[in-house]
Amino acid sequence: MILDIKMMLPQSFFQSNDVVRIARELIGCSLHSLTDGHYCSGIIIETEAYAGITDKASHAYGGRYTERTKVLYLPAAHMYVYMCYGMHMLFNIVTADENTPHAVLIRALLPLQGIEVMRERRGAKVKDSALCDGPGKLSQALAIGKQHNAKLLSKDSVWIERHSVFPEEAVLAGARIGVDYAEEDALLPYRFSVDKNLSSLQRKQ
DNA sequence: ACACCGATTATCT
DNA sequence: GATAATCGGTGTA
């Protein structure tokens, strides 16, 4: 039997209670979108874990349950897309079991396919290196928006596949960005990123 | 390369 | 009425 490594990650991948491990394992996977008839993809090179009710940086801290945050309480593999700073859509994947509001924020991609469409969506002045190098930017490049909020990852809209394996030493863990308000939790090493300075950037596959 | 800052609105208090 | 899981332009070095 032939193992198809290019299959969409199943819901079970996101069902673990260890959201930090999932955030780490998503580095090197690829994110795909099929929106408005255009196909785009990129390799995930930056993520952050948000650990639900015990994490002061999480929207669900303390069990907060509102019209916006109720999506976090859905079963694994649902998308949580919300507007940040009045103008950017941020793309998250809900993890763990229903009623455990963990999520992983996807923060940056290495563009792979559909780069021409990404350029059109992002604007003519944008350099290729800046197409997907931020959470608001990748949502714009892949046309991920509120229409995806509270929907499951699926192969006809937005989905994730296994793609590459980076050397262990090329994947850094550190503090999350923009969560100063989270007091002591702001320092937790819940952010994962591929080291840009490392020459051993050779991926497998 | 890095620091500063204004834009702009959903969400919650 | 304040805040926010950001971005891009402008400034200085």
Side-chain angles (χ1 to χ4, degrees):
Chain A
M1 162 175 167
I2 295 169
L3 182 68
D4 183 3
I5 61 164
K6 297 303 183 194
M7 285 230 297
M8 174 174 114
L9 285 179
Q11 184 178 34
S12 59
F13 176 89
F14 300 99
Q15 230 150 22
S16 162
N17 203 45
D18 188 348
V19 65
V20 178
R21 186 179 59 76
I22 294 174
R24 168 62 185 84
E25 291 186 358
L26 283 172
I27 298 290
C29 291
S30 50
L31 177 64
H32 304 253
S33 80
L34 195 51
T35 310
D36 305 327
H38 297 292
Y39 171 63
C40 291
S41 71
I43 301 173
I44 297 171
I45 55 172
E46 187 178 343
T47 62
E48 284 176 0
Y50 286 86
I53 65 174
T54 61
D55 179 357
K56 289 185 176 177
S58 168
H59 291 164
Y61 174 63
R64 209 146 51 104
Y65 188 93
T66 67
E67 192 59 30
R68 177 178 66 157
T69 66
K70 67 182 184 184
V71 176
L72 290 165
Y73 296 79
L74 293 172
H78 278 85
M79 297 184 263
Y80 174 47
V81 183
Y82 74 96
M83 176 165 283
C84 187
Y85 296 106
M87 58 185 88
H88 304 293
M89 303 308 297
L90 269 59
F91 172 68
N92 302 252
I93 303 142
V94 174
T95 70
D97 288 322
E98 190 172 6
N99 296 321
T100 299
H102 292 180
V104 175
L105 170 66
I106 306 298
R107 290 191 57 90
L109 306 176
L110 213 51
L112 212 55
Q113 293 164 290
I115 293 176
E116 201 50 54
V117 183
M118 294 187 195
R119 289 193 188 108
E120 287 171 23
R121 288 172 175 158
R122 294 275 295 121
K125 293 165 294 187
V126 173
K127 298 201 293 192
D128 275 13
S129 60
L131 285 176
C132 297
D133 67 342
K137 298 178 188 180
L138 73 88
S139 293
Q140 186 180 28
L142 272 61
I144 294 173
K146 63 182 180 210
Q147 73 270 25
H148 296 104
N149 189 43
K151 303 285 201 312
L152 275 169
L153 291 172
S154 92
K155 201 128 192 189
D156 57 18
S157 60
V158 175
W159 73 98
I160 294 175
E161 298 177 3
R162 291 197 189 281
H163 189 281
S164 303
V165 178
F166 289 101
E168 189 65 35
E169 64 271 21
V171 181
L172 310 177
R176 292 169 292 184
I177 304 291
V179 296
D180 297 343
Y181 59 88
E183 302 172 26
E184 71 274 15
D185 288 347
L187 299 176
L188 293 170
Y190 284 5
R191 171 176 179 243
F192 298 95
S193 59
V194 177
D195 188 349
K196 292 187 195 69
N197 300 323
L198 216 53
S199 55
S200 58
L201 257 181
Q202 319 120 341
R203 301 173 262 123
K204 291 183 186 174
Q205 292 155 32

